[in-house]
Amino acid sequence: MAAWQPENAEAFLGKDGLIDTHRLLDATAEAERLARLDSQHEGIPVSDPRFHMPFSDPATAREVLPQLGVALHLLQAEPGHRVLDLGCGHGWLARLLAQQGLEVQAVDPSATAIGKAKAFVSVHLPQLAARLKTGVLEKGRIPLPDASVDRIIAFHSLHRLGDLAGLLPEMQRVLAEGGRAVIVTAAPGQSRSPAVQARMRATGIAEPETDPSGIQAAAAAAGFARCEFALAARHPVMMGATAYAAELERVSRRDAPDAAPSPAMMTQGLAELDAWLRHDCCIVLSRTGEAPDSREIPPLTKRKAPIAEIAVLSGTATKQKLSLTVAIRNLGGYRWRPGGTGAGGVNLGVMRRLADGTLERDFRRVRLSAQEIMPGETVQIVFELPLQDAQGWSMDLVAEGVSWFGAEIALDRTGTALAPKAG
């Protein structure tokens, strides 16, 4: 088999003078493609800075970390979850996932890359060996049993995996019920960019063009219930102190929750989303039609239906305290994460009303459950409140760091509901 040489690229050029990825893919036998992948890892010692991705150098960190942050947010992995790093290369992302307490399977079509990944862990991070396993993707077969992982991440690895459409049924097979896969790749059209063209000329490895409609159709054919595309800002939106204070005031006003951002902020924000659209593509595939969790609850003004209901079942007041039993119902649309689990954890927010009418909005949080609360489920909680300085109360649910529910009810000092409403 002749080794790939950059001067051979002319045989794969289109009429525009650029390498045609389809022509390169069609002309490359699978064994040859795997040999080229292997050659990228041969001779690289485990002391090479590339093993410390994405912190190998400042430019790489700036480029990769924003995309990785989005991918990890969408992955929604929790400690103990089984995660497949598909197209892992030498395993830098698999190691980061294992360090988070996840049970990781790192799989790649290159046996050489897998060997390097194992060697690095053995030498530098032996404590991860128990929860970081490796395997080789052979003939499009993921070397794992059915329903054996909770999450899959493929981070800029489609060029390593070959035919994504052919691999999607395998991804669906190994995902457990309720699982999801996150794929981060280049935006449509990026195969024509100078950087990608240069890589293909140097390596002879085709970087397939991203086809959103084709991916959606293939995902549906493979049995995935949902295929969604995520947008995010590539860089922070910058503004002066005066503009920042104005935007902070806007988002703090509960009397006008739908107030629009300033034109300048809208312009900058849209420009950053446009930058993502031009460069990046992030795909989320869901194994079943399971409801999204409370991290994905939209702002109140964007909701089409109530998502919660609060009812006071009983209230007993003494001179010093108020004892309440409250029923809370999940009206559907979202699974509520337990309070205390970070962003999206759902708590009951208790607000104390003082004699001058002031409402202490962050007076107390009350945890609802140690487990997820599913759509249609009702929970009861019992708790006490001090009556000192209290003239009344208001209560609403909050997905921490995400949104208030708008299911607020008002109580008098003794716990009698004044204006119950569902939101």
Side-chain angles (χ1 to χ4, degrees):
M1 179 186 67
W4 169 264
Q5 298 294 332
E7 55 267 23
N8 296 342
E10 276 62 31
F12 304 100
L13 299 184
K15 293 181 180 179
D16 55 6
L18 299 176
I19 293 176
D20 184 318
T21 57
H22 296 292
R23 186 178 298 179
L24 182 55
L25 277 170
D26 292 342
T28 306
E30 181 63 8
E32 184 180 359
R33 189 182 71 84
L34 293 176
R36 293 173 187 171
L37 285 174
D38 282 339
S39 69
Q40 290 188 306
H41 300 277
E42 291 171 351
I44 299 177
V46 294
S47 58
D48 190 283
R50 284 171 286 184
F51 280 84
H52 297 279
M53 279 274 291
F55 306 107
S56 51
D57 62 84
T60 298
R62 287 194 300 270
E63 176 68 18
V64 173
L65 287 176
Q67 303 169 43
L68 183 59
V70 171
L72 294 179
H73 173 80
L74 294 170
L75 196 66
Q76 296 185 3
E78 303 289 351
H81 267 171
R82 302 161 298 172
V83 180
L84 168 61
D85 180 6
L86 187 56
C88 66
H90 53 64
W92 66 268
L93 180 52
R95 293 189 290 273
L96 291 179
L97 295 170
Q99 287 171 322
Q100 297 173 39
L102 303 170
E103 303 296 324
V104 182
Q105 292 282 345
V107 171
D108 195 89
S110 168
T112 301
I114 290 297
K116 298 288 185 177
K118 293 171 66 175
F120 186 92
V121 170
S122 177
V123 172
H124 296 288
L125 293 168
Q127 70 274 19
L128 296 183
R131 58 175 180 270
L132 201 170
K133 307 300 182 183
T134 59
V136 177
L137 180 73
E138 294 184 296
K139 297 181 180 180
R141 175 80 177 180
I142 298 174
L144 294 173
D146 294 358
S148 58
V149 298
D150 304 295
R151 300 288 188 268
I152 297 175
I153 186 166
F155 191 82
H156 286 292
S157 60
L158 295 191
H159 66 288
R160 307 185 63 80
L161 301 174
D163 178 22
L164 175 61
L167 196 57
L168 285 173
E170 274 293 282
M171 295 169 65
Q172 199 266 1
R173 177 184 67 80
V174 301
L175 266 179
E177 289 294 321
R180 63 167 48 192
V182 175
I183 301 169
V184 178
T185 188
Q190 280 296 297
S191 69
R192 303 167 60 84
S193 70
V196 174
Q197 287 285 312
R199 283 200 299 269
M200 289 194 291
R201 280 180 176 271
T203 65
I205 299 172
E207 300 196 18
E209 185 64 64
T210 303
D211 176 12
S213 59
I215 291 172
Q216 185 172 41
F224 284 98
R226 287 192 299 167
C227 174
E228 299 172 293
F229 293 79
L231 296 180
R234 262 187 151 239
H235 305 106
V237 173
M238 304 296 290
M239 63 187 68
T242 301
Y244 176 78
E247 296 299 337
L248 186 62
E249 171 64 20
R250 175 182 62 81
V251 300
S252 301
R253 292 178 60 190
R254 287 173 63 92
D255 59 333
D258 56 349
S262 68
M265 182 174 176
M266 288 289 290
T267 299
Q268 289 189 62
L270 290 174
E272 290 302 330
L273 292 179
D274 286 349
W276 180 279
L277 278 168
R278 285 192 293 269
H279 294 94
D280 307 301
C281 183
C282 185
I283 307 153
V284 182
L285 304 174
S286 299
R287 173 68 170 77
T288 65
E290 184 178 40
D293 74 30
S294 45
R295 286 174 289 194
E296 301 183 42
I297 293 175
L300 180 59
T301 54
K302 303 295 184 181
R303 295 181 214 149
K304 297 180 180 180
I307 59 174
E309 187 175 64
I310 304 171
V312 176
L313 301 182
S314 66
T316 304
T318 66
K319 291 183 178 181
Q320 297 180 334
K321 65 183 180 181
L322 171 64
S323 299
L324 289 171
T325 301
V326 176
I328 296 166
R329 184 183 177 202
N330 182 340
L331 295 181
Y334 301 91
R335 297 174 287 116
W336 298 354
R337 286 165 53 84
T341 56
V346 177
N347 295 306
L348 181 68
V350 179
M351 298 162 267
R352 180 171 64 174
R353 188 174 298 105
L354 303 177
D356 62 1
T358 301
L359 199 61
E360 292 183 302
R361 296 194 176 277
D362 291 315
F363 177 73
R364 179 169 295 182
R365 294 288 201 269
V366 181
R367 193 179 191 191
L368 305 185
S369 173
Q371 307 297 325
E372 276 195 336
I373 299 173
M374 305 304 290
E377 186 177 353
T378 299
V379 297
Q380 291 186 19
I381 54 174
V382 179
F383 58 98
E384 295 181 345
L385 297 171
L387 287 176
Q388 183 178 1
D389 299 328
Q391 297 301 308
W393 311 92
S394 285
M395 296 185 294
D396 194 2
L397 294 162
V398 57
E400 302 294 352
V402 178
S403 179
W404 289 87
F405 280 37
E408 187 172 336
I409 65 170
L411 311 176
D412 67 14
R413 191 171 188 272
T414 64
T416 301
L418 299 176
K421 61 180 180 180

